[in-house]
Amino acid sequence: MTFKVERLADLLISGFQTTLPTPASFNDISEMSIVKADYISKLKDIQDQVTEDAMDDDFYAVNFNQDEKQHYLVGVRVMTAPTESFTIPAGKYAKFEFKSLDRNEIDQMIGAAYGELAQSTDYAVAGNYNLEVVTNLISGKGKFKIYLPIVAK
């Protein structure tokens, strides 16, 4: 699995969120994947409503740690957030992309992406969040993309 380094501008993602269950082990992330898939499905059901103020045609999800809990926010990129939101700060990101519509497989690939970065001689993870471009899970076509914040070693 390889990644590209990309610089992102600030991205304000607005939508709705949940707290994710803590996996019993890295090998069994299925419960977390089920919750994520459920929220992507909810986003798909209301996509016409949430895209009215969207700045682009993509759908996003943000995994972030807050108050010692793992949160998952799904939504769209906006200029101002009338609802729950998370700002992805400007900076360097490792971009991984792969073709899959299976949430459990995607979460395993996300774990592998973190493993790839941990072994990198040039970069390290620089935050307790990540950005998923989940448009393929809404449309049923295209690639899943994940951006992990990085810093040079």
Side-chain angles (χ1 to χ4, degrees):
M1 174 180 280
T2 59
F3 62 91
K4 290 183 185 176
V5 175
E6 292 192 7
R7 182 168 292 282
L8 297 181
D10 285 342
L11 300 173
L12 178 60
I13 308 301
S14 179
F16 52 97
Q17 68 176 304
T18 187
T19 302
L20 292 173
T22 302
S25 74
F26 178 74
N27 293 328
D28 186 13
I29 56 175
S30 59
E31 186 178 348
M32 180 184 67
S33 296
I34 290 168
V35 173
K36 287 181 174 183
D38 182 49
Y39 268 69
I40 297 295
S41 178
K42 289 176 183 178
L43 180 61
K44 185 176 183 176
D45 289 345
I46 63 165
Q47 65 182 304
D48 291 338
Q49 296 165 23
V50 298
T51 55
E52 291 175 7
D53 298 321
M55 293 183 60
D56 58 33
D57 294 332
D58 284 317
F59 294 93
Y60 300 90
V62 181
N63 287 283
F64 62 98
N65 192 303
Q66 184 178 50
D67 302 324
E68 298 183 21
K69 294 181 180 171
Q70 192 67 28
H71 297 267
Y72 192 67
L73 179 139
V74 295
V76 294
R77 182 175 171 213
V78 296
M79 285 293 289
T80 59
T83 60
E84 296 177 90
S85 65
F86 186 91
T87 300
I88 299 293
K92 283 186 179 179
Y93 289 80
K95 175 186 174 185
F96 295 85
E97 56 184 347
F98 40 89
K99 203 164 187 145
S100 179
L101 297 173
D102 179 84
R103 186 71 236 194
N104 196 55
E105 179 182 39
I106 287 169
D107 286 331
Q108 290 171 356
M109 295 299 286
I110 291 170
Y114 276 102
E116 175 96 6
L117 270 180
Q119 295 176 32
S120 171
T121 57
D122 299 323
Y123 298 101
V125 175
N128 63 353
Y129 61 91
N130 64 49
L131 174 68
E132 300 175 2
V133 181
V134 297
T135 307
N136 74 313
L137 299 175
I138 302 293
S139 70
K141 54 189 170 193
K143 290 184 177 180
F144 177 90
K145 299 174 188 118
I146 182 144
Y147 293 85
L148 308 179
I150 56 172
V151 63
K153 285 186 176 177

